[in-house]
Amino acid sequence: MTPSPPCPPRTFLFLQGPHGPFFKLLAAQLKAAGASVWRVGFNAGDRAFWPDTASYIPFDGLCDDWPTFLQQVFESQNITDIVLYGDTRSIHAQAITAARARNMAVHVFEEGYLRPYWVTYERDGSNGHSHLMSLTIDEMHKLHGTQQFDRPVPPSHWGDLREHIFYGALYHWLVMARNGEYPNFKPHRSLKVTAEFQLYLKRLLLIPVHAIERFVATRRIQRGAFPYHLALLQLEHDASFQMHGPFATQSDFLDCVLDGFAKGAPSHHHLVFKAHPLEDGRTPIRTDIKRLARQHGIAKRVHFVRGGKLARLLDHARTATTVNSTAAQQALWRGIPLRAFGRAVYSKPELVSDQPLAAFYSNPTRPDQSAYRQFRDFLLATSQLPGSFYAQKGRRQVLRQVPDMMLAQHGPYAQTTPQSEALRQQLRVVE
């Protein structure tokens, strides 16, 4: 029998990743597997979490210089794969376009679609750019419906929020205080780095105060003798909200929801807005909710909860509304009617209502539970990895699985099976 030819050498170029050491540890695993790794850093925060100076390439040029610089790195280091976290920031979007032109594999990490316990690994794009957007639930069943896999069980307590906030604060402090070697660096968000650091630090220091405030607000709703509907808020500066949703500002979404609720919900129903766990106060959400609720004449029926565990509120909610939050999948898992306005991987006709909002609050249609189980099982069998980017235990869980997935020829949605072969072209898998 003729032996198989050796696989060509792989060279991975890391761009910006999650705050903290995840990319450094992942690169070590890939090197142990025989691959070469490089890292382009754009600021002192990137540099601090990549200790190997021999494989670190600083970019200190202007934004307009980035495409030419990247092509030079591709050629000089014989890059075959690029690795990044989030695909919408300008430097990443340009890198993906350049990599595709060279037929490179594009490895995209993102927060888990089944948060908070999982992380997402995909090829080519995530969220509104994910291959999931073009797959129907029936096609998902054909791809992986007959495969057996172990469904990971979430722990009873998931506690990496503090680590997430800590690494965010540290990263922005490094950029604020030690960025002299990167004079042209501009953050991908509009807020200045100094302001970002101050918000992260304030959020970290106020965790105990916010916990008390959240407990009181949640208990008031749980003990209230009224039916209620839940609105799941996102960070206004989040890429999913900005790039894959129809609203320019959080206030626009709040006004839309309050208007639909005022027109369609029964007069004894209430509306609860739940803030994102990482909401840091850069937008005046609570103030806007109070102002808009008064304008719509429903101020006494509207509540605000600052972050916290979603399950405590979802367990008794009549409906859930969002732009495209991944937290909406917890509503689908419970069979709660869901109205989503933006592009999301779960925006399938079997799962998400397309009713006008007033009609939705008046008489909502429920998701197809069988279809959601098929959808969720497909995610768990493919792109969702148990663990997290920020807590040490969570990183270990991800790193036990993801290097082999990155070294595989095909992405997680197009493994070679009789059912998947006909869909391979649709998924545009990089061979």
Side-chain angles (χ1 to χ4, degrees), residues 112-384:
Y113 294 148
L114 299 175
R115 296 183 200 180
Y117 180 57
W118 287 271
V119 304
T120 299
Y121 165 72
E122 297 178 283
R123 299 279 178 97
D124 296 329
S126 63
N127 291 312
H129 298 145
S130 169
H131 290 309
L132 289 170
M133 299 300 298
S134 62
L135 281 176
T136 66
I137 291 179
D138 183 61
E139 288 169 336
M140 293 177 190
H141 182 69
K142 291 177 181 178
L143 280 165
H144 279 273
T146 60
Q147 293 196 10
Q148 300 295 318
F149 62 95
D150 295 329
R151 292 174 175 82
V153 178
S156 58
H157 175 72
W158 184 248
D160 69 345
L161 181 61
R162 287 180 178 83
E163 289 90 337
H164 192 160
I165 296 172
F166 168 77
Y167 281 124
L170 176 58
Y171 179 90
H172 286 94
W173 179 84
L174 289 165
V175 176
M176 180 182 67
R178 305 186 64 180
N179 220 43
E181 297 179 12
Y182 303 88
N184 298 308
F185 171 72
K186 293 183 179 180
H188 64 282
R189 293 172 180 156
S190 59
L191 205 62
K192 293 182 179 179
V193 173
T194 303
E196 286 270 6
F197 168 72
Q198 291 172 344
L199 288 171
Y200 268 102
L201 183 60
K202 179 181 177 181
R203 182 73 178 85
L204 191 64
L205 296 175
L206 289 178
I207 284 178
V209 176
H210 290 166
I212 296 172
E213 178 186 324
R214 182 169 59 246
F215 174 81
V216 172
T218 303
R219 181 60 64 91
R220 183 182 299 119
I221 295 165
Q222 289 176 324
R223 292 186 172 182
F226 49 77
Y228 64 86
H229 304 255
L230 195 59
L232 306 174
L233 300 181
Q234 296 163 246
L235 301 175
E236 185 180 85
H237 58 273
D238 183 76
S240 291
F241 185 96
Q242 293 289 334
M243 305 297 292
H244 303 302
F247 301 103
T249 67
Q250 187 82 269
S251 183
D252 292 338
F253 172 65
L254 298 176
D255 189 41
C256 175
V257 173
L258 286 162
D259 179 66
F261 182 81
K263 292 176 178 177
S267 59
H268 62 291
H269 285 208
H270 288 225
L271 178 63
V272 177
F273 287 95
K274 182 188 177 298
H276 189 280
L278 293 175
E279 182 58 57
D280 53 21
R282 70 183 66 189
T283 54
I285 294 176
R286 172 176 285 181
T287 301
D288 284 349
I289 290 173
K290 289 182 177 180
R291 172 178 58 83
L292 292 168
R294 286 195 299 269
Q295 289 179 9
H296 289 286
I298 53 174
K300 293 182 179 180
R301 298 161 55 200
V302 177
H303 311 261
F304 174 77
V305 177
R306 187 192 295 274
K309 291 186 177 181
L310 181 57
R312 293 171 180 168
L313 293 172
L314 269 178
D315 285 342
H316 301 288
R318 291 292 184 92
T319 69
T321 310
T322 187
V323 176
N324 50 16
S325 171
T326 55
Q329 293 216 44
Q330 295 189 45
L332 292 172
W333 183 76
R334 289 168 169 79
I336 296 173
L338 174 66
R339 184 70 168 87
F341 290 91
R343 287 167 53 82
V345 297
Y346 54 78
S347 292
K348 310 298 180 185
E350 301 93 333
L351 308 180
V352 177
S353 171
D354 62 356
Q355 297 170 273
L357 196 53
F360 175 76
Y361 281 126
S362 174
N363 186 27
T365 57
R366 290 189 173 277
D368 182 332
Q369 284 297 88
S370 176
Y372 180 66
R373 284 193 294 271
Q374 291 181 1
F375 175 75
R376 185 174 183 272
D377 283 352
F378 180 74
L379 292 188
L380 290 173
T382 54
S383 63
Q384 302 304 290

